[in-house]
Amino acid sequence: MSASGQLCAYCGRAPAHAGFSYCSRSCGRAASSGGGGGGPGGGGNTYGSYDQYDDDDDDPPAAGPNYNGYGGYGGGYGGGYDPTGGYNPTGGYDPNSGYDPNSGYDPYGNSTGGYGNQGYGWGAPPYQQPPAPVVDPTLCEHCFARPKHGTHKYCGRTCGQAAKNGVPPRQPPSSQMSTQPPSFPTPFGVPSKPCKIARCNRTEEYGSGYCSAAHRRQGVKDGLDPACLFCKDMPRDGPKSLFCGGKCSQSATNAAPILLEVPTSDPRFADGELNFSQPADRNFVFKTAWKHTSTPPKVAKVYKIILPQSLVDSYDTYKRNLEASGNFKARGMEAANERRRWHGTRRMCKIGDDSRNLNFCTNTQCSVCLILKNSYDVKFAAVGMFGKGIYTSATSSKSDTYTRGAAPGSPYKAMFLNRVAVGKGKILTSADNSLRAAPAGFDSVIANPGSGLNYDELIVYDNDAIRTSWLLLYDTK
């Protein structure tokens, strides 16, 4: 080990040999051949988590799949892909493999090339020399997996901070290393697949399903994937996301509060049902939850409600406090015993009747627009059977009784689907209109059918216990 305790300048794991910059001849050869080293946290580190509107309800601050970091690429050409991340001493630089002028690409990783324990091999023409990387200039310059944020070099704060701290960037995906690449593993650790666009003979980028941004847009036009609700141009970045990436999800939050229309062709708006990814949530779609009549009305419009970050944060804080005191997840519940519940109220304008009319009105009697702009406020609540609180129900037809009909000149009624942090609910079957807060030791009231009550109700008495999530417009007939 060097007297200074310096680590190898290539692999960053072993101590450098006294008087040298590298720990061994292998690392020295690898560095001189142009391979990018593993470095401290290099090649195979996982960097932070990338999170957007992506819980099952796609509410902030969750977005696309949660990227908790990819397994990294070993350094440079001949650098070996290790899906578990980090420098692989059995698969980094191997002087007996990798680039072999006497052989072609060997996908099985034997001593004549290939990848895995031997490194990426480049052999006979057209790969006489490792081609220079060709990287999409719109991608983050640290992870090479997500679009840059606005005019910045990086996709978000996580990559920006990693670069600032001197963490080496990941190697660009191998599918970008040549204009005619073999099918290399992607950053997701699985082989690349063909581009979804018919008659395109290229492979997908970054596990997106498409070879380029142009073909991602074409995939939306061809109906192969649903479009981002904000830009309406690019496909969404995951099956649970409503956005194409961090840029659009952040832009939506910056513009909040806003309504984003869910097209009738969207998988979440099939046959008038608002569909969720978790089976347990499917009991709370509009038609399934309609009990008062045998034929529920038709849902005409569905809008995703994007809330200001301040409202998201205060709700999350409330949830964390409930979870800390009640430990609901340990009992198989959602954190803070969160549920989805309906809330019907008065609409005095035509907001949402079509996608051109999404501005909030100024009518102080329009409860829909007041809630959209400011969220719920107990001080405006009427005193009901269980006191002065915010009333919701798992039965959509129960909430329908509070809508007071359609707005003047509109064929639709309006109803909210909300996220409610129930916490520890006090079950009541008889009225108590004196309540101004949940009974001592409880966080909410669960009113079950009983004396004078035919359908369920859930009542919370704290403004931060509930947030709107979706707005549905449905026929009055």
Side-chain angles (χ1 to χ4, degrees):
M1 181 172 181
S2 62
S4 63
Q6 177 183 344
L7 293 177
C8 174
Y10 181 79
C11 71
R13 299 297 191 273
H17 192 74
F20 294 88
S21 299
Y22 307 103
C23 63
S24 64
R25 292 179 180 176
S26 294
C27 278
R29 291 192 192 103
S32 64
S33 67
N45 261 346
T46 55
Y47 303 126
S49 61
Y50 175 64
D51 204 22
Q52 53 188 342
Y53 298 10
D54 175 47
D55 55 11
D56 298 325
D57 198 2
D58 292 297
D59 277 31
N66 184 5
Y67 297 101
N68 289 317
Y70 307 126
Y73 284 83
Y77 294 99
Y81 172 74
D82 183 1
T84 62
Y87 173 74
N88 183 349
T90 64
Y93 174 81
D94 188 334
N96 299 316
S97 65
Y99 172 67
D100 184 353
N102 299 316
S103 68
Y105 170 73
D106 184 353
Y108 301 103
N110 60 25
S111 59
T112 60
Y115 64 89
N117 286 339
Q118 303 295 333
Y120 288 120
W122 298 85
Y127 300 117
Q128 286 290 347
Q129 297 291 335
V134 179
V135 182
D136 187 342
T138 67
L139 294 178
C140 171
E141 295 181 16
H142 191 80
C143 67
F144 296 101
R146 294 180 291 275
K148 294 177 180 177
H149 181 71
T151 59
H152 299 279
K153 296 168 60 177
Y154 308 107
C155 60
R157 293 179 180 176
T158 300
C159 282
Q161 191 62 47
K164 183 178 179 181
N165 293 341
V167 177
R170 294 195 182 102
Q171 289 290 332
S174 54
S175 59
Q176 299 241 353
M177 295 299 187
S178 167
T179 56
Q180 292 181 318
S183 182
F184 283 131
T186 69
F188 296 92
V190 296
S192 297
K193 298 177 182 178
C195 176
K196 290 183 180 181
I197 300 299
R199 296 180 297 279
C200 178
N201 59 5
R202 289 173 290 184
T203 55
E204 64 178 0
E205 292 180 323
Y206 332 120
S208 68
Y210 300 95
C211 66
S212 63
H215 274 190
R216 288 196 287 274
R217 293 187 180 93
Q218 189 62 46
V220 170
K221 293 178 181 178
D222 293 347
L224 300 178
D225 282 296
C228 167
L229 288 189
F230 191 79
C231 70
K232 298 179 174 61
D233 185 40
M234 300 290 279
R236 299 171 193 173
D237 63 357
K240 295 196 297 179
S241 176
L242 295 178
F243 299 94
C244 60
K247 183 177 180 179
C248 275
S249 63
Q250 187 60 54
S251 296
T253 298
N254 293 343
I258 58 170
L259 295 175
L260 298 179
E261 184 176 14
V262 181
T264 55
S265 59
D266 193 280
R268 289 177 179 266
F269 190 17
D271 301 322
E273 296 278 16
L274 187 58
N275 295 314
F276 295 103
S277 58
Q278 297 299 321
D281 297 325
R282 293 173 188 158
N283 293 326
F284 298 103
V285 294
F286 183 84
K287 290 164 65 175
T288 307
W290 190 274
K291 306 296 183 184
H292 283 59
T293 59
S294 59
T295 305
K298 179 183 178 181
V299 175
K301 302 282 185 179
V302 175
Y303 293 94
K304 176 62 186 168
I305 303 168
I306 304 300
L307 301 173
Q309 191 63 46
S310 59
L311 290 177
V312 175
D313 292 343
S314 56
Y315 178 70
D316 287 344
T317 298
Y318 185 84
K319 278 181 58 179
R320 283 195 297 271
N321 292 337
L322 284 189
E323 178 61 27
S325 61
N327 202 22
F328 298 99
K329 291 183 70 174
R331 291 181 276 162
M333 305 178 190
E334 293 294 320
N337 193 16
E338 184 182 60
R339 305 297 177 92
R340 291 187 178 89
R341 291 293 185 268
W342 300 99
H343 179 86
T345 192
R346 178 172 49 200
R347 183 173 72 121
M348 297 299 293
C349 66
K350 296 182 181 180
I351 187 170
D353 275 14
D354 60 67
S355 58
R356 295 168 297 178
N357 187 6
L358 298 180
N359 294 322
F360 308 131
C361 75
T362 57
N363 189 330
T364 57
Q365 300 301 310
C366 184
S367 299
V368 166
C369 285
L370 289 174
I371 292 171
L372 286 171
K373 288 187 289 186
N374 306 305
S375 191
Y376 294 95
D377 195 330
V378 173
K379 71 181 180 183
F380 297 120
V383 176
M385 290 180 63
F386 300 93
K388 191 177 179 67
I390 302 167
Y391 287 67
T392 59
S393 177
T395 306
S396 55
S397 54
K398 169 71 175 180
S399 296
D400 172 70
T401 62
Y402 295 94
T403 60
R404 306 183 187 182
S410 172
Y412 306 128
K413 294 182 180 181
M415 191 179 298
F416 290 109
L417 183 58
N418 308 274
R419 298 171 65 181
V420 186
V422 179
K424 186 178 181 181
K426 174 67 174 179
I427 297 176
L428 296 177
T429 56
S430 58
D432 183 356
N433 60 14
S434 67
L435 291 172
R436 297 298 182 269
F442 295 89
D443 306 302
S444 60
V445 166
I446 299 171
N448 284 341
S451 177
L453 187 66
N454 296 323
Y455 297 92
D456 69 281
E457 288 187 316
L458 170 63
I459 305 94
V460 293
Y461 303 86
D462 190 303
N463 293 341
D464 287 331
I466 181 171
R467 290 291 182 266
T468 56
S469 183
W470 305 85
L471 175 67
L472 279 70
L473 300 186
Y474 57 99
D475 292 342
T476 57
K477 300 177 181 180

